[in-house]
Amino acid sequence: MKEGRPRSFYVLAIFFAAYVLFLYGPMIAIYVLSFQGPQGGLTFPMNGVSTYWLTKLFQGTGIIDLGASFRRSLLLGVIVMAVTVVLSVAAGMAFRRKFRAQSILFYSAIASLIVPSIITSLGISLEFRIIDDLIKTHWNENFETSMGLLTSGLGAHLTWTLPFGLLIMFAIFNRFDPRLEEAARDLGATPWQAFRYVVLPIILPSVIGIGLFGFTLSWDELARSSQAIGAVNTLPLDLQGLTTTVTNPDIYALGTIISAVSFAVITLALGTIHMLNKRQAAKGSDAGKGLV
Amino acid sequence: MDTSDNILQQASPDLVRGSDTARPARAARLSPSFVSWLQAGPMMLVFLAFFLIPLVFVVIVSFWDYNEYQLLPAFSGRGYTDTFEGCIAQLPDLCTIAKTYLKTLKLCFLVWAITLFIGFWVAYFLAFHVKSKTWQMGLSLLCTIPFWTSNVIRMIAWIPLLGRNGLVNSGLMKTGLINQPVEWLLFSEFSVVLALVHLFTFFMVVPIFNSMIRIDKSLIEAAYDAGATGLQTLVNVVVPLAKPGIVIGSIFVITIVMGDFITIGVMGGQQIAAAGKIIETRVNALQFPAAAANAVILLVITFLIITMMSRIVDIKKEL
């Protein structure tokens, strides 16, 4: 190949830069606009700079109880994260050897990822409606509903986060050297010890990645929540509701806060992953330390 | 077979062949298949309870009857007949549902073509032109981060730019190119396609990048050495080898756009009818069997598209 950078490099570099600008430009616009002055509107130019709209959110705008949906989204996100991590790691371990129903699980996960969200969401809501009807006719006439944040809502979010978790586990174990585990077994470790002291420390950075995916996917999830969450709203649902009614920058302020939480979680997770990788590099080898 | 068996078998084939008793006793307290079930079972249960059974319910309910207030669990084709009302009588004019699906397919095709173009070149740049691993990581992360923030926020982010008094319009007015604000920028098919491309190009970039990064660079040099032009190398070497990524990315984008109702709702100003919107509208009107019938139709169409695409490449092999 020719020396130096070919012309196509510069063309594509400009193309890439334009894509990144396209990606970030509008988002930066609303972060900036959420600092409008009290008289400011939905568009540029800025009418003064203040944190008026951000603080107004926390005082309550009267239309919706943002504090409550904030807490609901947070609670759901954390539970989805925990369940996603545990189930994905377990299933990932199972996929390292052949077992019956392996391909059923695999295709369920892929299908769950690509069947349009509205269909999954509708299905879950129908399922719970039918369950409700059964309870009402057979057990308790006054029963309200079994739909809710931590029943149908949690299930709906898991159908979205688990496939991602499983695919990440596949990627991890593609690179994993099974001899490390073999060595542990040969040294007399039980399967649990081999997992706890050998496998888990090695895969931990990626497992944190799964947690990160689980939380942020749930935190921002809208399509699957729309029919399946029951009577309450999550933060993205409130935000979507605002898009049709509100003409003030408080919608941008809300957007900025939701993004801020996402970014904080991403930064925290990436920081932890980086720290773990450094630790692994520094302490991973026991060469020259003798037998334990 | 267990990986430990594999290694043992390589070392001394006679030791393991045909008998489980040769395993070390301590490792075999729980049978491996039982452990597998224990490990994979919980995830399977979640998919069963919240994905597979709900899908079955969608199909069943699509054949139920309904009135203004409730579901009536009796066989009826009303969900479907209501959906296709007047379709035959109106011929050769298209009925509402047919028009809606054509519109959905059109949006889908536009978004697919644009995201494929952008995604391919972005992935190409990252995979072939960015030489340092650190830069590759950093730039990929740069493309990934917006994916982790709320879609609604990324949609409404276009309002201050495209609105009647938005940046684009005021910019064009100032330069004197137009006298009146352009109205079709926001709450139009244009803004819907723009927002969908903005949201989902990520799903194209990642799989294509993954395919490209696995291409042996010496193949490309070999093509050049054999006298191929840049275009010939691209068409005959890079594209065929990146095909799995292209197909997987396409499946993601197409299925997302086919079922989308939120972006089309918000960016179309609740004016544009699309397949996903019909389902949402029917649910809001509490016409669940009709909603389910539309879901089944959408599912069948999506499934057909995926089957067609997976003919081109074995998805399972590529993951």
Side-chain angles (χ1 to χ4, degrees):
Chain A
M1 282 228 254
K2 275 173 275 172
E3 288 298 309
R5 300 218 185 261
R7 202 177 43 176
S8 61
F9 171 82
Y10 296 100
V11 176
L12 283 179
I14 292 169
F15 185 81
F16 181 80
Y19 172 67
V20 171
L21 190 69
F22 168 70
L23 215 51
Y24 284 85
M27 289 165 66
I28 291 168
I30 68 152
Y31 301 147
V32 172
L33 281 174
S34 61
F35 290 95
Q36 279 273 22
Q39 304 303 318
L42 281 174
T43 53
F44 287 103
M46 298 281 284
N47 200 341
V49 175
S50 72
T51 54
Y52 174 80
W53 299 103
L54 290 165
T55 47
K56 194 161 170 268
L57 275 186
F58 288 100
Q59 291 156 2
T61 49
I63 314 166
I64 41 173
D65 187 356
L66 286 178
S69 26
F70 187 92
R71 281 192 296 277
R72 274 195 289 269
S73 277
L74 203 62
L75 174 74
L76 185 59
V78 169
I79 293 176
V80 168
M81 176 178 76
V83 176
T84 305
V85 165
V86 173
L87 297 197
S88 302
V89 171
M93 292 292 288
F95 268 90
R96 297 176 70 201
R97 63 176 157 235
K98 280 208 167 59
F99 62 98
R100 243 181 294 172
Q102 190 169 31
S103 54
I104 297 179
L105 180 54
F106 176 79
Y107 284 113
S108 303
I110 297 298
S112 178
L113 201 59
I114 59 185
V115 162
S117 299
I118 178 90
I119 298 177
T120 310
S121 188
L122 174 68
I124 293 174
S125 108
L126 291 175
E127 180 187 44
F128 276 79
R129 250 163 239 282
I130 291 166
I131 294 174
D132 288 349
D133 281 350
L134 281 179
I135 296 177
K136 273 179 213 164
T137 46
H138 292 290
W139 288 285
N140 181 0
E141 273 180 41
N142 300 321
F143 184 77
E144 283 287 324
T145 178
S146 50
M147 275 179 97
L149 193 69
L150 296 181
T151 53
S152 53
L154 176 64
H157 280 212
L158 287 176
T159 61
W160 180 229
T161 58
L162 287 180
F164 280 101
L166 190 64
L167 291 181
I168 297 175
M169 285 306 293
F170 286 169
I172 297 171
F173 282 128
N174 269 341
R175 286 173 309 186
F176 189 84
D177 187 348
R179 284 177 302 180
L180 295 166
E181 211 180 349
E182 279 315 307
R185 288 218 187 124
D186 287 348
L187 291 170
T190 64
W192 170 251
Q193 284 172 327
F195 174 76
R196 171 65 188 81
Y197 295 104
V198 178
V199 179
L200 190 60
I202 295 173
I203 67 171
L204 195 58
S206 313
V207 170
I208 289 173
I210 294 176
L212 164 69
F213 254 92
F215 181 84
T216 47
L217 288 176
S218 161
W219 175 254
D220 295 326
E221 165 52 40
L222 184 55
R224 279 165 209 246
S225 310
S226 64
Q227 318 298 335
I229 207 91
V232 295
N233 270 354
T234 58
L235 217 45
L237 279 166
D238 276 342
L239 187 68
Q240 193 209 6
L242 284 178
T243 58
T244 50
T245 52
V246 163
T247 49
N248 286 330
D250 46 10
I251 185 171
Y252 298 152
L254 182 55
T256 303
I257 287 172
I258 298 181
S259 299
V261 172
S262 290
F263 286 132
V265 172
I266 295 172
T267 316
L268 192 73
L270 291 181
T272 316
I273 291 171
H274 182 69
M275 198 195 75
L276 285 169
N277 278 334
K278 265 175 82 174
R279 229 175 82 116
Q280 224 171 64
K283 295 189 179 173
S285 166
D286 61 357
K289 289 182 188 160
L291 293 171
V292 179
Chain B
M1 179 171 285
D2 195 330
T3 43
S4 62
D5 286 357
N6 274 330
I7 287 168
L8 277 177
Q9 205 155 25
Q10 278 162 14
S12 54
D14 297 326
L15 192 68
V16 178
R17 185 179 297 150
S19 89
D20 262 351
T21 48
R23 295 167 137 276
R26 62 171 181 276
R29 210 164 291 154
L30 296 170
S31 83
S33 70
F34 181 76
V35 173
S36 297
W37 280 104
L38 220 55
Q39 288 169 331
M43 187 183 278
M44 194 65 234
L45 281 180
V46 172
F47 284 129
L48 192 69
F50 297 105
F51 179 63
L52 299 173
I53 294 177
L55 275 190
V56 173
F57 276 129
V58 168
V59 177
I60 294 175
V61 170
S62 77
F63 289 105
W64 280 7
D65 203 358
Y66 58 100
N67 60 27
E68 286 101 283
Y69 316 104
Q70 57 184 343
L71 283 167
L72 305 172
F75 181 82
S76 157
R78 219 186 120 189
Y80 293 92
T81 49
D82 279 7
T83 301
F84 288 107
E85 205 182 345
C87 272
I88 295 171
Q90 253 176 304
L91 284 172
D93 288 330
L94 289 172
C95 52
T96 324
I97 185 84
K99 276 187 199 153
T100 309
Y101 268 95
L102 279 181
K103 164 87 55 95
T104 314
L105 287 172
K106 179 185 149 196
L107 287 177
C108 204
F109 177 78
L110 280 173
V111 174
W112 171 74
I114 299 171
T115 51
L116 178 59
F117 181 80
I118 300 176
F120 183 86
W121 289 115
V122 166
Y124 186 92
F125 176 74
L126 288 175
F128 293 117
H129 281 306
V130 180
K131 296 279 170 9
S132 117
K133 275 267 174 287
T134 320
W135 272 96
Q136 222 168 39
M137 279 273 289
L139 292 178
S140 316
L141 200 62
L142 196 67
C143 297
T144 313
I145 284 173
F147 170 72
W148 274 323
T149 64
S150 171
N151 283 355
V152 184
I153 296 162
R154 296 175 64 197
M155 283 171 221
I156 59 170
W158 286 103
I159 294 173
L161 300 182
L162 301 180
R164 212 168 176 281
N165 305 312
L167 272 187
V168 175
N169 266 326
S170 53
L172 288 174
M173 299 260 278
K174 258 181 210 140
T175 54
L177 282 171
I178 51 168
N179 302 322
Q180 281 181 358
V182 185
E183 299 282 354
W184 53 262
L185 283 177
L186 193 60
F187 304 141
S188 59
E189 271 182 43
F190 169 79
S191 57
V192 169
V193 172
L194 186 74
L196 287 169
V197 168
H198 186 230
L199 290 173
F200 301 124
T201 305
F202 169 81
F203 282 106
M204 234 8 148
V205 175
V206 172
I208 298 180
F209 175 74
N210 269 335
S211 291
M212 282 182 174
I213 203 81
R214 288 191 217 164
I215 297 177
D216 190 346
K217 301 286 181 295
S218 53
L219 286 175
I220 291 168
E221 298 212 11
Y224 274 113
D225 289 347
T229 63
L231 185 69
Q232 282 172 327
T233 314
L234 191 71
V235 172
N236 296 316
V237 180
V238 178
V239 171
L241 289 172
K243 203 168 65 182
I246 294 174
V247 171
I248 292 172
S250 302
I251 289 177
F252 274 128
V253 170
I254 289 171
T255 52
I256 289 173
V257 177
M258 281 303 285
D260 180 87
F261 62 103
I262 293 163
T263 319
I264 290 174
V266 172
M267 296 308 288
Q270 311 294 340
Q271 298 296 312
I272 295 174
K277 280 294 284 178
I278 301 179
I279 301 177
E280 197 207 10
T281 313
R282 294 286 190 174
V283 169
N284 290 343
L286 298 181
Q287 299 168 332
F288 290 104
N294 278 289
V296 171
I297 298 168
L298 178 62
L299 198 60
V300 170
I301 293 179
T302 316
F303 182 74
L304 285 178
I305 296 177
I306 293 172
T307 324
M308 252 161 39
M309 304 210 72
S310 52
R311 280 277 161 82
I312 310 175
V313 60
D314 180 359
I315 300 177
K316 183 162 184 181
K317 216 177 70 193
E318 299 303 332
L319 286 168

